[in-house]
Amino acid sequence: MTIIRQGSLFGLQELYNLEPTQRFDAIFSAIDIEPIFALVTKKSRFGRPVELNYAAMIYSLVARLTERIPFVKDLVKRLKNDMIFRLDCGFLVSDTVPSESAYSRMITLISESNVLEKVQETLLHQAITEGFISDDTVAIDATHFEAKDQAPPKEEKPTSEPKKRGRKSKEEREQWLIEKTELETNLPLFEKKIEDQLDVPLSDLRTEIPQDPQWGVKKNSEGKNVFWYGYKAHLAVGTTSQYILQSVFSSGNLNDGKAAIPLLKGIQERVSLPTLRYETMDAGYDYEPIYTQIHLMGHQSVIAYNKRNEPEPIGFDKYFAPTCVREHSYRYDSFDSKYETLKYTRPKECKDCPLANDGLCQKVYKVKITTDLRKYTAPARGSKVWKEIFKRRTAVERVNAYLKQYFQLNHVRYRTGKRAKVHFDLVTLVYNASKLAVDRINATISHQLAA
């Protein structure tokens, strides 16, 4: 009698413990390669006859990630020496093994289009249709990965001319304001303020994201700055399903907050998931335009507050809940979605307070979240529900670890941003395909157990 493994115990690690043939079949079946195949195949019957199996080449790039093969030259060597691996990738015995140059030409064609994003969108739609994605919360965060290339020396800032002492004349100030306005107007979109992204279409945002490797900086556990050269991966992950719902590839020096609106607009326009209600992020995304974008989507923000030399609020606690005369915090009660109003009730400490009966302490306090979207969130900051939703943010950190541990996100072997983006898009695509493969296996196991 066949022993059936319990469905709830099957995960990504178990997928990698399967035989390669089974693993490849499960992952390949989750990816619709037709758009990629149509892009890279020969369009004319004239010229040199086609001798390459392009479909198998695409599958072999997927297999390269799952098998953790670092270089394309190693992939070519594996295809030449391992007949079973070659057949698993879809090559026929009579097929010629592609050269490194053939793979390079194919990757160049893919880098000139957004075909991998379309394939990713199709995969997500399939996962939603099959009922594997039904999240109510999305977690957003970024992770860095280095470019495997010699980093240029950091440029020293040019020494500026000493400023003239004294106030500018009226004419000089007016001229300075005109020059400053022109300079800010001509800046690239992602060097402007975040609020300038709100009215820009998603396609333009995606097009203008800087993608060349750059110097980035982060703080380590000791609070010291650590510099690195490379890229950033910005992910929006379903906290329950752990699918990557949207992803953005950028230069390493791009501020995390400046990638949030492209991710949010991508969720709004490309992910048809009516169950979504919350977006949760860390304090690095505490910018008012991000709250505005989430509010325009009809969702709620659960973002850690980043105090920026702001004065202590008078009449409110650190979570912006109102306080009574004796400075006890009101308790969050509920949120009225129709009127977008938070309701707070009298503190427990005020139950026997003589001031409560004198009308100095009101029983109920209501405030509209549109008064200040950054301070007043639904559920209210500091409430038990808010903290529970914020804890779900660890899902995106877990996915970042998966991409680096299992899918070679750390091993970018291309020197240009466009080709590095192909690697990044393949990594996220293969990850989601692996998730879909695991979910399908679990569904089959559950069906067998139920029968």
Side-chain angles (χ1 to χ4, degrees):
M1 178 178 177
T2 304
I3 299 175
I4 301 176
R5 170 175 269 176
Q6 185 178 351
S8 61
L9 298 179
F10 198 96
L12 280 178
Q13 182 60 55
E14 282 73 18
L15 180 68
Y16 276 80
N17 291 337
L18 292 175
E19 290 296 323
T21 301
Q22 296 174 293
R23 182 169 68 250
F24 293 155
D25 287 344
I27 296 174
F28 292 165
S29 63
I31 301 175
D32 177 20
I33 70 163
E34 287 302 322
I36 311 174
F37 182 74
L39 176 70
V40 301
T41 50
K42 187 180 177 184
K43 302 297 185 297
S44 173
R45 62 188 180 89
F46 299 103
R48 184 178 178 180
V50 176
E51 299 177 354
L52 299 174
N53 187 337
Y54 287 107
M57 289 176 67
I58 297 168
Y59 284 134
S60 66
L61 288 177
V62 174
R64 174 190 162 222
L65 295 179
T66 61
E67 290 291 284
R68 305 185 184 104
I69 301 174
F71 299 101
V72 172
K73 68 176 182 180
D74 295 323
L75 173 63
V76 173
K77 184 177 180 181
R78 175 82 177 268
L79 289 170
K80 288 180 178 179
N81 298 332
D82 190 338
M83 177 61 71
I84 296 177
F85 177 72
R86 193 192 315 172
L87 295 175
D88 286 340
C89 291
F91 288 99
L92 302 177
V93 176
S94 57
D95 285 336
T96 304
V97 174
S99 64
E100 290 183 62
S101 299
Y103 276 106
S104 179
R105 288 191 295 269
M106 186 173 74
I107 290 170
T108 300
L109 285 174
I110 295 174
S111 70
E112 299 297 331
S113 72
N114 61 347
V115 65
L116 292 178
E117 293 180 13
K118 293 180 179 178
V119 174
Q120 181 81 276
E121 192 174 343
T122 302
L123 189 151
L124 287 172
H125 177 73
Q126 187 63 34
I128 293 171
T129 303
E130 295 181 25
F132 299 130
I133 303 179
S134 57
D135 301 85
D136 67 345
T137 306
V138 172
I140 292 178
D141 201 0
T143 186
H144 77 279
F145 51 103
E146 297 184 6
K148 300 298 181 181
D149 194 8
Q150 184 176 2
K154 290 186 290 184
E155 297 180 359
E156 295 184 1
K157 293 183 179 179
T159 56
S160 58
E161 296 181 1
K163 294 182 180 180
K164 295 180 181 179
R165 294 190 176 184
R167 297 179 62 180
K168 292 182 174 69
S169 66
K170 184 177 180 180
E171 293 77 11
E172 288 177 336
R173 178 170 175 77
E174 288 178 354
Q175 181 63 30
W176 174 76
L177 289 174
I178 292 172
E179 292 175 355
K180 182 181 178 182
T181 303
E182 290 179 353
L183 180 63
E184 292 177 351
T185 303
N186 296 325
L187 284 174
L189 177 60
F190 283 86
E191 292 183 19
K192 296 180 180 179
K193 296 180 179 179
I194 298 178
E195 52 261 34
D196 293 325
Q197 299 179 13
L198 288 172
D199 297 326
V200 180
L202 175 62
S203 57
D204 293 345
L205 288 173
R206 291 272 183 175
T207 302
E208 297 194 36
I209 292 176
Q211 296 179 349
D212 291 330
Q214 296 291 341
W215 281 101
V217 60
K218 65 173 184 175
K219 287 189 180 295
N220 60 14
S221 58
E222 299 176 355
K224 296 181 180 179
N225 288 335
V226 177
F227 295 91
W228 48 273
Y229 180 74
Y231 311 98
K232 271 187 180 179
H234 308 266
L235 304 180
V237 174
T239 56
T240 303
S241 65
Q242 294 187 24
Y243 279 85
I244 300 173
L245 302 183
Q246 284 292 293
S247 60
V248 166
F249 170 87
S250 77
S251 302
N253 61 348
L254 185 70
N255 180 277
D256 292 355
K258 290 187 176 181
I261 290 180
L263 289 171
L264 293 169
K265 287 190 174 184
I267 292 172
Q268 184 180 20
E269 298 182 20
R270 298 182 177 180
V271 181
S272 179
L273 193 59
T275 55
L276 286 181
R277 293 183 60 194
Y278 307 105
E279 274 79 21
T280 180
M281 311 170 208
D282 62 25
Y285 296 87
D286 183 33
Y287 295 96
E288 191 170 340
I290 297 176
Y291 292 90
T292 302
Q293 176 61 38
I294 294 173
H295 184 256
L296 291 173
M297 295 166 61
H299 296 174
Q300 303 298 335
S301 312
V302 181
I303 305 174
Y305 191 77
N306 187 4
K307 188 176 179 181
R308 303 184 182 95
N309 297 323
E310 299 171 356
E312 292 291 338
I314 300 174
F316 298 88
D317 65 9
K318 63 179 181 179
Y319 298 117
F320 307 103
T323 56
C324 67
V325 177
R326 300 175 64 183
E327 297 187 354
H328 296 302
S329 298
Y330 276 63
R331 293 174 295 166
Y332 170 66
D333 180 83
S334 60
F335 173 68
D336 187 337
S337 58
K338 181 179 180 180
Y339 298 102
E340 297 186 315
T341 302
L342 297 173
K343 178 183 176 182
Y344 294 89
T345 57
R346 183 180 292 168
K348 291 181 179 179
E349 294 85 354
C350 296
K351 183 178 180 181
D352 301 322
C353 178
L355 298 176
N357 299 325
D358 293 340
L360 296 177
C361 233
Q362 62 190 79
K363 188 174 182 179
V364 175
Y365 189 99
K366 293 183 179 180
V367 59
K368 292 180 70 69
I369 62 172
T370 50
T371 304
D372 190 330
L373 291 172
R374 184 166 166 246
K375 293 179 179 179
Y376 302 111
T377 63
R381 289 187 179 276
S383 63
K384 183 178 179 182
V385 180
W386 189 95
K387 292 178 180 178
E388 288 177 354
I389 296 173
F390 185 72
K391 286 180 181 178
R392 302 175 191 171
R393 196 186 59 82
T394 56
V396 67
E397 297 173 351
R398 194 175 302 116
V399 172
N400 284 334
Y402 282 147
L403 296 184
K404 292 181 177 180
Q405 181 178 357
Y406 292 109
F407 299 96
Q408 299 193 73
L409 180 61
N410 273 334
H411 297 283
V412 179
R413 302 294 177 178
Y414 304 110
R415 296 187 177 185
T416 63
K418 280 189 175 182
R419 292 167 71 87
K421 184 178 182 297
V422 173
H423 176 85
F424 170 74
D425 287 341
L426 274 174
V427 165
T428 56
L429 177 63
V430 174
Y431 169 82
N432 274 349
S434 300
K435 283 290 299 177
L436 182 54
V438 168
D439 287 341
R440 285 174 172 173
I441 293 172
N442 283 333
T444 302
I445 293 173
S446 298
H447 180 72
Q448 293 174 348
L449 291 173

